[in-house]
Amino acid sequence: MSKKASFKKGLIVLIVILVVILGSVIGTLFASAKKDGGFKRGGNYLAVLHVEGTIQKAGDTYNQEWILSNINKFKNDSRNKGILLFIDSPGGTVYEADETYLALQDYKSTGKKVFAYQGSMAASGGYYISCAADQIYANRNTLTGSIGVIAGSFLDITEFLEDHGISYETVHAGKNKNMGNYNEPVTDEQYEIMQKVADECYDQFTSIVSTSRHIPYSQVLPLCDGRIYTASQALVNGLIDGISSWDDFVETVKNSNPEFENCKLKTFRYERQKGFFELAISSMAEKQRAETLEGIPSALWNQMNLKGPLYMYR
């Protein structure tokens, strides 16, 4: 191939890459405009705020800064009359769950209302955030509750290392500074330290459930042993207010709150935008998956790769 032809081919490849990147940027801008529900347009509205995925600082479907920013915007927007939470989460970190809960409480201090609808799952931190709502509804197939705390896990492989002639030492000052490292056995004192952390977070969680659900603390505690509840079980135990479809939930909320009568719904749903190279890698992975699937029934493949729910509140 001549230098001229090679240069021309390289130029074409470069142009294609630039077009793809530009398209990705433009797509991101349009997606962002769509996700915010047209925040700056229209009349009075109810914000449908999706709380989805693992509650954490940042992930593919959950972003703490985005959540807090939108709640604050709703609070200061006179056209916003209320928030409808759509929660589908297995839980997450204590810090972010409580921060979102407090932001919603601050929002309600203006006189506006919050209602929660639980999707397929609203466990642990997902239920924690639900407690900020004036009322909680769930789908009949919802798994909810899981009111408890996991403060941490210890992995001790010191005997394994010793049996294989491996020595691994951590230089540290403070007898508990290396606590939790796999090269040091867990002491009774260290276990007690972590248990106190779990107990304190647990007391905060259960107190919020008691207050928000108007259930005496002594009656709440037996419900808060970490188990999950079906929607019907949660209703019987007073952890939710009703079971319905999403559409019926919206109608119920609107009919019972005259100030919502002429409000439109605006959806706010976070989805992390992937860059060009991440999309390319994802495409390659999908191609590999398709090749792997060849000759394997899709139902069997889905069963083999089925991931169970992770009910955690940390």
Side-chain angles (χ1 to χ4, degrees):
M1 183 182 294
S2 67
K3 290 184 178 180
K4 185 176 181 180
S6 179
F7 174 78
K8 184 177 180 180
K9 183 178 179 180
L11 183 61
I12 292 174
V13 171
L14 179 60
I15 291 174
V16 170
I17 292 175
L18 290 174
V19 169
V20 172
I21 293 175
L22 181 60
S24 178
V25 171
I26 293 174
T28 299
L29 293 175
F30 276 107
S32 297
K34 184 177 180 181
K35 281 185 298 180
D36 72 1
F39 194 84
K40 296 181 179 180
R41 301 189 301 273
N44 294 340
Y45 67 96
L46 293 173
V48 178
L49 182 63
H50 285 249
V51 177
E52 297 177 309
T54 301
I55 299 164
Q56 57 188 312
K57 185 175 181 180
D60 287 340
T61 58
Y62 186 94
N63 182 285
Q64 187 70 3
E65 183 180 353
W66 181 88
I67 287 278
L68 298 179
S69 174
N70 275 296
I71 294 173
N72 187 57
K73 287 177 182 177
F74 303 150
K75 173 187 172 183
N76 296 306
D77 186 353
S78 61
R79 295 170 302 126
N80 171 259
K81 302 303 178 183
I83 294 177
L84 305 185
L85 296 171
F86 184 92
I87 300 175
D88 193 354
S89 170
T93 60
V94 168
Y95 186 91
E96 276 74 23
D98 187 56
E99 194 175 39
T100 299
Y101 168 84
L102 292 175
L104 289 166
Q105 292 290 78
D106 180 58
Y107 168 88
K108 289 170 60 177
S109 70
T110 63
K112 298 181 180 182
K113 297 179 180 179
V114 175
F115 296 87
Y117 183 84
Q118 299 178 341
S120 63
M121 188 185 307
S124 293
Y127 185 79
Y128 191 112
I129 292 176
S130 299
C131 288
D134 294 283
Q135 288 185 318
I136 304 173
Y137 282 74
N139 184 278
R140 66 181 184 177
N141 296 308
T142 298
L143 292 179
T144 188
S146 188
I147 304 167
V149 179
I150 293 179
S153 301
F154 293 106
L155 175 65
D156 177 10
I157 63 169
T158 51
E159 289 188 14
F160 174 84
L161 295 175
E162 185 177 346
D163 290 345
H164 289 77
I166 302 172
S167 178
Y168 175 43
E169 301 290 340
T170 302
V171 179
H172 62 284
K175 61 180 180 178
N176 292 313
K177 186 62 178 178
N178 196 40
M179 179 176 65
N181 201 338
Y182 60 80
N183 68 333
E184 180 179 293
V186 182
T187 67
D188 291 339
E189 180 184 23
Q190 291 169 354
Y191 185 88
E192 184 179 356
I193 289 171
M194 295 308 298
Q195 186 61 57
K196 286 181 177 178
V197 172
D199 290 343
E200 186 172 323
C201 294
Y202 178 75
D203 183 62
Q204 177 176 286
F205 196 168
T206 52
S207 295
I208 284 175
V209 175
S210 175
T211 300
S212 67
R213 301 306 303 163
H214 308 291
I215 304 174
Y217 190 74
S218 60
Q219 295 179 27
V220 158
L221 285 180
L223 302 174
C224 303
D225 62 359
R227 76 180 69 186
I228 57 172
Y229 295 95
T230 64
S232 59
Q233 291 170 344
L235 183 61
V236 169
N237 287 299
L239 295 176
I240 62 174
D241 297 290
I243 300 173
S244 75
S245 66
W246 167 258
D247 289 338
D248 288 342
F249 161 73
V250 172
E251 286 302 311
T252 298
V253 169
K254 280 193 169 186
N255 292 336
S256 58
N257 295 273
E259 67 271 30
F260 296 164
E261 184 178 356
N262 297 316
C263 290
K264 295 181 178 180
L265 300 185
K266 288 191 176 182
T267 300
F268 297 79
R269 187 176 194 173
Y270 177 81
E271 183 178 350
R272 186 174 68 85
Q273 296 301 311
K274 297 180 179 180
F276 169 73
F277 292 106
E278 192 172 0
L279 288 170
I281 292 173
S282 177
S283 177
M284 291 170 61
E286 184 61 29
K287 182 180 178 182
Q288 180 63 42
R289 177 181 179 276
E291 292 175 354
T292 304
L293 269 173
E294 191 172 345
I296 301 177
S298 58
L300 177 58
W301 174 268
N302 292 335
Q303 185 66 33
M304 290 166 59
N305 289 274
L306 184 65
K307 295 181 179 179
L310 179 64
Y311 307 106
M312 296 188 70
Y313 170 73
R314 306 186 260 226

